Amino acid sequence: MSEVWHSVCARDEVQAGAMLPIEIGDMHIAVYNVDDEYFATDNICTHGFALLTDGFLDGDSVECALHGGCFNIRTGKALCEPVDVDLRTFRTRLVDDRVEVCIDGA
Ligand code: FES
């Protein structure tokens, strides 16, 4: 399977404790900064159409603003009702102070 790294934002566009919505093609992806570690997941909740970046980031958990479902952003694991389907996660890396996200099979 091929993998493609996409440069998505400058490192300082996502401060510690913050998240940023980005789009790669027609994919909606959320980039998170947890204590200067960067993570990326699908940005659309698995329960309904809501952007997780409109919700709340608490440590390494994101809470959906629509119905309060929570996910671990490191693993994508669904943590609490009403969500029961995990989020897709993506690898990230820093290159020259830019955040890159890896999309498999792109
Ligand atoms: Fe996210 Fe319902 S749409 S918890």
Side-chain angles (χ1 to χ4, degrees):
M1 183 181 287
S2 63
E3 63 179 38
V4 178
W5 288 91
H6 297 264
S7 177
V8 295
C9 63
R11 176 184 191 146
D12 61 8
E13 284 180 73
V14 196
Q15 299 293 321
M19 48 189 170
L20 181 74
I22 60 154
E23 291 180 25
I24 298 175
D26 59 0
M27 298 177 69
H28 294 267
I29 292 175
V31 175
Y32 312 87
N33 178 336
V34 178
D35 296 331
D36 289 327
E37 258 191 284
Y38 293 84
F39 301 92
T41 70
D42 269 334
N43 196 14
I44 298 174
C45 184
T46 58
H47 180 246
F49 190 85
L51 294 178
L52 296 172
T53 49
D54 290 338
F56 313 96
L57 182 63
D58 181 13
D60 58 8
S61 299
V62 65
E63 179 182 332
C64 179
L66 200 51
H67 308 112
C70 296
F71 300 92
N72 182 299
I73 63 164
R74 295 174 186 268
T75 63
K77 187 162 182 47
L79 297 177
C80 63
E81 293 186 355
V83 294
D84 56 8
V85 176
D86 296 347
L87 276 179
R88 186 175 174 193
T89 60
F90 304 93
R91 286 179 290 152
T92 66
R93 68 184 182 187
L94 285 173
V95 176
D96 296 334
D97 275 341
R98 289 195 60 85
V99 180
E100 294 191 352
V101 173
C102 182
I103 306 295
D104 290 324

